[in-house]
Amino acid sequence: MSETRTDPRVTAAVLEVLVATLGIEDRAPTLDAATPLLGELPELDSLGVVELAVALEERFDIVVDDDDFTGDVFETVGSLAAFVAARAG
């Protein structure tokens, strides 16, 4: 997943969904495209991943398949934003 080509507006919107879904508003200012997700955010456990996927589906009108739940997609905010941009585009 390419993080460098993702529209900054998509990254910002993914961050909004991530922050709201996981309830980490207090840490929002410290998050950016390089922020690691899986294994780094304690709130992003197996249930958190599913809740985030559902929230992204609703926000961006995309479908996240079971095969999409990979470490590559959920590695960083940027990789997640690139995935969303590819699905939404």
Side-chain angles (χ1 to χ4, degrees):
M1 297 273 141
S2 172
E3 296 175 25
T4 57
R5 296 184 187 168
T6 304
D7 185 325
R9 294 171 294 182
V10 173
T11 301
V14 167
L15 274 168
E16 287 175 17
V17 173
L18 176 76
V19 166
T21 302
L22 300 181
I24 56 173
E25 290 82 359
D26 59 323
R27 285 182 271 158
T30 67
L31 305 177
D32 61 23
T35 300
L37 297 176
L38 285 181
E40 298 297 323
L41 290 180
E43 297 83 2
L44 197 60
D45 55 13
S46 57
L47 180 59
V49 169
V50 172
E51 290 175 341
L52 178 58
V54 169
L56 291 169
E57 287 178 329
E58 291 174 358
R59 171 78 180 261
F60 294 98
D61 194 27
I62 61 171
V63 174
V64 180
D65 297 319
D66 290 344
D67 294 344
D68 297 326
F69 290 95
T70 67
D72 288 342
V73 171
F74 288 88
E75 181 179 4
T76 65
V77 170
S79 64
L80 186 57
F83 168 79
V84 168
R87 282 296 166 97

